[in-house]
Amino acid sequence: MRTHIAKLLRTLRKNFPSADLTVVRKAYRIAAEAHEGQSRLSGEPYIIHTLKVAQILASLGLDPTICAAGLLHDVLEDTLVTHDDLDAEFGEELVTLVEGVTKLSNLHYKGEQVTREIKQAQNI
């Protein structure tokens, strides 16, 4: 896990050399604590998924706040962390981003054959 967060921070430093990455470090800490003991169907610790999401966002050139939201994107649905908890730690802007991603799971997709690519395109 340390290598994943280190890679994320390196990518962000490359794209945003003067950015304060405290929000990303804090989001990682909270997500890791919240997802402690959870694993994917593959057996991989759940936090690896959120780190990969944040890494994709960073690789696309998105800012540290967006990457922090990527780290936290499943905490409201899958853990005991609440809206108020996130608001107290990060403020309303980040909570709004996290809730926006959470609401994507409620989307209904158009078309008879909905592939993963179609879902991604419709999400965007």
Side-chain angles (χ1 to χ4, degrees):
M1 284 182 270
R2 289 182 190 263
T3 57
H4 290 4
I5 189 66
K7 181 180 178 184
L8 173 61
L9 294 172
R10 276 194 309 273
T11 303
L12 286 167
R13 279 192 197 106
K14 183 179 121 194
N15 294 339
F16 300 92
S18 61
D20 180 3
L21 300 180
T22 302
V23 67
V24 176
R25 288 185 190 94
K26 186 192 287 189
Y28 169 71
R29 181 183 51 79
I30 288 172
E33 289 173 8
H35 291 296
E36 181 68 33
Q38 294 179 342
S39 58
R40 308 273 293 173
L41 291 177
S42 66
E44 180 177 71
Y46 198 86
I47 190 65
I48 300 297
H49 163 69
T50 66
L51 282 160
K52 288 178 180 179
V53 168
Q55 181 62 47
I56 290 168
L57 296 171
S59 297
L60 292 171
L62 297 168
D63 67 44
T65 301
I66 298 289
C67 293
L71 287 166
L72 296 166
H73 79 273
D74 279 333
V75 296
L76 293 177
E77 281 185 318
D78 299 336
T79 75
L80 299 176
V81 175
T82 67
H83 171 104
D84 291 339
D85 295 334
L86 288 184
D87 188 34
E89 288 290 333
F90 299 101
E92 193 59 35
E93 176 188 13
L94 195 127
V95 176
T96 300
L97 291 170
V98 172
E99 287 182 332
V101 173
T102 302
K103 290 175 184 170
L104 287 178
S105 64
N106 296 324
L107 288 179
H108 299 282
Y109 299 97
K110 296 177 183 176
E112 291 180 24
Q113 294 181 330
V114 181
T115 64
R116 180 173 179 244
E117 291 79 16
I118 290 171
K119 286 181 181 181
Q120 288 175 337
Q122 289 184 15
N123 282 347
I124 292 169

